């Protein structure tokens, strides 16, 4: 069994079997991460460059750790402080790096489609670590793994994605993945942050009341308000956002059932998610980070054999 | 297709190996049996359950090891991982690796690498059901062996557990 794609550009390109394969391989890597020696020699002859054209803490550390746990050689590249500021194009930068015999590229870019462009022009395998407002596939996969571990399955699970859907690549990857795996998906948030026609395009439910969304769901994936991507005011203030659309302790306590809370990080505490919800027993946020390393190991491992 | 071991021979071989493994007075406290995933597990199950029958009062330490991530051919083909369950410490103990067919020796090489990530055993031994001699690519030999056979590269040896026989095809 193998992945059907040479790159991981988005969940959009994967089929059900691919997703199942990545998740089951990730579980084996999770097991490796519990051992006294948390490292396997699988990719010891593979060199991977982490190209980060956009800021990142979790994803970059997670990818780097995953690469090191697989014994791959890694190079880190961040756009600030590089020749990008001298005007070098993306393709030139990558070709220069690849001429030094690099096998795989992990890439984050603020432009949607940047990794897809690269995939057309270079021979190396590409893993998308987030491109603009398009997709963040490894986040979608680690969310799926966290949900599966908490609830045992994805089939029929009700997931509400709450917050800034419009600017969220995490939302896109989650929607693609959850729909493919048979989960029910709802998006909720202020109308200005929910793209029009999303219901028709993706077959997801749309809800404008966070209270109703929480009442409906088994899993709430709360997204960060991406102020850096909003070039016009889409809601009046952060305080008002928290009052109307924030997931608060009171809302969660008033539910007549247990739900699971996910958040891709970094959290704006007190805006989309209250501190005492983020740190409560409902929250899987730290498990998500832990699963992130295992999922990224699985993706890199499964793509490494494809030439 | 040729039958190498009939059900009766297979049963006797497993019994013989169980006796051989224990005949010099095995220290069960200091010995761990480890089956190699995926194909060595059924054979290891059989051997270990027979040893348990011979020594019902002893606590037989038995683990399963998956070597997928330790293979040396990741770039050529991707293999799907299986469960590893190593619930016993192997530190300073005798480890007996159990696999069904010993062929090139590469699986055992990977298993040794994988094993050392769980600790430093005092000694590692190898028990196989079938030894395909003259086909080794690495200097690895079994300490306990059911049957030694001659075969060529294009042939395959398969243990059919459902039919309880071993075939060369």
């Amino acid at each position: 069994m193998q992945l059907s794609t040479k790159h991981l550009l988005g969940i959009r390109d994967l089929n059900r079997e691919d997703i199942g394969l990545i998740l089951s391989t990730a579980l084996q890597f999770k097991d490796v991460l519990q051992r006294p020696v948390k490292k396997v020699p699988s990719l010891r002859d593979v060199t991977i460059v982490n190209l980060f054209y956009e800021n990142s803490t979790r994803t970059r550390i997670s990818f780097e750790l995953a690469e090191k746990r697989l014994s791959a050689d890694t190079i880190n590249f961040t756009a600030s402080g590089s020749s990008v500021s001298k005007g070098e194009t993306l393709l030139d930068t990558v070709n220069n790096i690849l001429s030094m015999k690099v096998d795989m590229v992990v890439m984050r870019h603020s432009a949607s489609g940047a990794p897809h462009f690269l995939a057309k022009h270079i021979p190396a395998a590409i893993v998308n670590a987030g491109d603009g407002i398009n997709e963040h596939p490894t986040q979608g996969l680690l969310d799926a793994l966290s949900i599966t571990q908490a609830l045992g399955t994805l089939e029929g699970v009700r997931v509400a994605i709450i917050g800034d859907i419009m600017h969220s690549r995490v939302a896109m990857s989650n929607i693609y993945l959850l729909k493919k795996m048979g989960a029910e998906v709802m998006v909720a948030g202020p109308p200005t942050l929910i793209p029009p026609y999303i219901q028709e395009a993706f077959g997801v439910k749309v809800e404008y009341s966070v209270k109703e969304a929480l009442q409906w769901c088994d899993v709430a994936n709360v997204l960060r308000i991406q102020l850096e991507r909003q070039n016009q005011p889409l809601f009046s203030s952060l305080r008002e956002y928290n009052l109307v659309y924030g997931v608060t302790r009171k809302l969660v306590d008033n539910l007549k059932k247990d739900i699971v809370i996910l958040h891709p990080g970094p959290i704006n505490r007190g805006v989309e998610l209250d501190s005492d919800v983020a740190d409560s027993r409902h929250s899987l946020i730290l498990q998500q980070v832990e699963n992130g390393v295992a999922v990224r190991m699985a993706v890199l491992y499964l793509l490494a054999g494809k030439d | 297709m040729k039958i190498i071991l009939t059900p009766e021979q297979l049963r006797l071989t497993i019994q013989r190996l169980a006796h051989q493994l224990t005949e010099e007075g095995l220290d069960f406290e200091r010995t761990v049996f480890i089956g190699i995933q995926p194909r060595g597990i059924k054979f290891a199950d059989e051997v270990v359950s027979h040893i348990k029958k011979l020594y019902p009062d002893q606590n037989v330490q038995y683990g399963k090891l998956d070597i997928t991530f330790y293979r040396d051919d990741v770039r050529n083909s991707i293999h799907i991982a299986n469960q590893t369950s190593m619930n016993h410490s192997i530190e300073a103990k005798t480890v007996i690796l159990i696999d069904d067919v010993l062929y090139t020796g590469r699986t055992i090489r990977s298993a040794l690498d994988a094993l050392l990530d769980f600790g430093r055993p005092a000694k590692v031994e190898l028990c196989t059901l079938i030894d395909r001699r003259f086909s080794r690519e690495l200097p690895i030999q079994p300490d306990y062996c059911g049957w030694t056979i001659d075969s060529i590269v294009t042939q395959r040896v398969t243990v059919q557990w459902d039919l309880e026989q071993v075939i060369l095809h």
Side-chain angles (χ1 to χ4, degrees):
Chain A
M1 218 176 144
Q2 282 206 335
L3 289 184
S4 64
T5 57
K6 181 175 179 281
H7 310 283
L8 179 66
L9 300 177
I11 303 292
R12 189 183 189 150
D13 312 322
L14 301 181
N15 57 39
R16 241 181 112 96
E17 287 71 40
D18 292 332
I19 295 166
L21 178 59
I22 293 171
L23 295 183
S24 66
T25 309
L27 279 179
Q28 302 303 333
F29 279 119
K30 232 189 138 177
D31 192 46
V32 169
L33 295 175
Q34 312 297 327
R35 294 180 191 171
V37 178
K38 299 170 188 56
K39 192 169 172 140
V40 290
S42 307
L43 302 192
R44 74 192 134 192
D45 56 345
V46 178
T47 308
I48 303 174
V49 58
N50 299 316
L51 277 180
F52 278 74
Y53 279 84
E54 203 185 61
N55 297 338
S56 166
T57 316
R58 246 163 310 276
T59 309
R60 203 170 57 129
I61 290 178
S62 181
F63 264 110
E64 194 174 345
L65 206 51
E67 289 151 8
K68 292 195 162 144
R69 300 281 196 229
L70 288 166
S71 306
D73 293 320
T74 60
I75 317 165
N76 286 312
F77 169 96
T78 39
S80 56
S82 75
S83 284
V84 171
S85 51
K86 298 178 196 163
E88 191 171 49
T89 66
L90 172 62
L91 199 51
D92 280 343
T93 305
V94 175
N95 272 328
N96 274 287
I97 293 171
L98 290 182
S99 66
M100 294 183 249
K101 303 280 174 278
V102 171
D103 306 291
M104 294 176 87
V105 178
V106 173
M107 177 182 182
R108 166 168 289 192
H109 203 287
S110 54
S112 304
H116 305 71
F117 163 77
L118 217 50
K120 286 193 190 122
H121 292 96
I122 64 165
I126 296 171
V127 179
N128 182 359
D131 63 326
I133 57 167
N134 178 37
E135 279 218 51
H136 189 351
T138 53
Q139 181 73 41
L141 288 160
L142 73 90
D143 288 348
L145 186 64
S146 309
I147 297 172
T148 314
Q149 287 197 309
L151 302 176
T153 178
L154 290 173
E155 195 81 48
V157 171
R158 293 176 159 191
V159 182
I161 305 173
I162 300 173
D164 185 353
I165 311 296
M166 176 95 83
H167 303 94
S168 175
R169 51 194 173 209
V170 177
M172 288 303 291
S173 287
N174 261 282
I175 293 171
Y176 280 126
L177 192 150
L178 292 167
K179 294 299 285 183
K180 283 182 189 196
M181 300 309 277
E184 286 185 63
V185 185
M186 172 186 280
V187 295
T192 48
L193 292 178
I194 294 182
Y197 307 116
I198 192 168
Q199 188 165 4
E200 294 82 343
F202 293 101
V204 299
K205 293 183 171 52
V206 176
E207 175 61 62
Y208 300 113
S209 151
V210 169
K211 192 178 166 192
E212 292 296 321
L214 290 174
Q215 201 66 55
W216 174 84
C217 72
D218 306 310
V219 178
N221 196 347
V222 186
L223 303 179
R224 184 171 64 92
I225 293 301
Q226 309 211 15
L227 291 170
E228 76 275 18
R229 287 187 219 283
Q230 298 178 6
N231 40 25
Q232 57 183 345
L234 293 167
F235 51 86
S236 35
S237 72
L238 290 176
R239 199 176 108 78
E240 188 184 300
Y241 184 88
N242 179 254
L243 284 173
V244 186
Y245 297 104
V247 176
T248 59
R249 174 87 265 173
K250 201 174 143 209
L251 273 179
V252 175
D253 281 347
N254 285 343
L255 296 175
K256 290 181 191 73
K257 56 175 186 176
D258 258 358
I259 62 164
V260 168
I261 308 262
L262 304 179
H263 191 296
I267 310 174
N268 292 322
R269 283 177 185 267
V271 182
E272 70 268 3
L273 191 60
D274 277 6
S275 273
D276 48 359
V277 179
D279 304 329
S280 70
R281 64 183 175 83
H282 298 284
S283 155
L284 289 186
I285 296 170
L286 293 176
Q287 277 97 309
Q288 282 176 278
V289 179
E290 189 192 338
N291 285 339
V293 178
V295 158
R296 289 173 179 122
M297 284 173 86
V299 167
L300 293 168
Y301 171 77
L302 292 169
L303 289 176
K306 309 212 117 190
D307 277 331
Chain B
M1 189 192 94
K2 184 184 154 198
I3 293 176
I4 309 173
L5 290 187
T6 62
E8 176 66 4
Q9 285 172 315
L10 181 60
R11 193 175 56 79
L12 287 171
T13 307
I14 288 166
Q15 287 180 11
R16 169 162 59 82
L17 286 171
H19 282 102
Q20 257 180 13
L21 283 164
T22 51
E23 68 190 355
E24 283 173 27
L26 197 69
D27 179 356
F28 284 95
E29 287 294 304
R30 309 224 57 80
T31 305
V32 184
F33 296 92
I34 290 177
I36 298 176
Q37 286 274 28
R39 286 192 290 272
I41 294 301
K42 188 73 182 95
F43 174 52
D45 282 348
E46 296 285 335
V47 171
V48 168
S49 77
H50 202 78
I51 291 174
K52 281 180 180 161
K53 261 187 237 159
L54 295 174
Y55 299 91
D57 304 331
Q58 295 285 355
N59 172 31
V60 181
Q61 303 180 56
Y62 174 38
K64 294 170 186 171
L65 185 64
D66 180 62
I67 55 107
T68 309
F69 301 137
Y70 295 83
R71 297 178 69 101
D72 55 11
D73 57 356
V74 170
R75 306 284 336 243
N76 303 328
S77 62
I78 289 294
H79 294 259
I80 303 310
N82 296 286
Q83 178 97 42
T84 288
S85 61
M86 299 279 285
N87 301 322
H88 308 282
S89 159
I90 59 165
E91 196 69 31
K93 290 181 185 166
T94 296
V95 170
I96 299 172
L97 289 175
I98 306 178
D99 202 2
D100 61 349
V101 180
L102 177 60
Y103 179 37
T104 61
R106 288 184 190 269
T107 301
I108 304 302
R109 203 263 336 142
S110 310
L112 289 170
D113 265 6
L115 197 61
L116 296 181
D117 281 356
F118 289 90
R120 184 180 185 276
K123 183 177 171 189
V124 184
E125 293 184 325
L126 175 61
C127 168
T128 61
L129 177 60
I130 305 287
D131 173 12
R132 295 179 67 172
R133 64 174 173 176
F134 306 134
S135 55
R136 214 75 81 240
E137 293 169 4
L138 294 168
I140 285 168
Q141 308 304 334
D143 299 282
Y144 308 91
C145 172
W147 288 74
T148 304
I149 62 155
D150 293 329
S151 60
I152 55 172
V153 181
T154 50
Q155 288 176 315
R156 293 175 64 93
V157 175
T158 307
V159 186
Q160 297 176 317
W161 288 106
D162 47 342
L163 301 172
E164 297 181 346
Q165 61 182 14
V166 182
I167 56 163
L168 181 68
H169 56 115

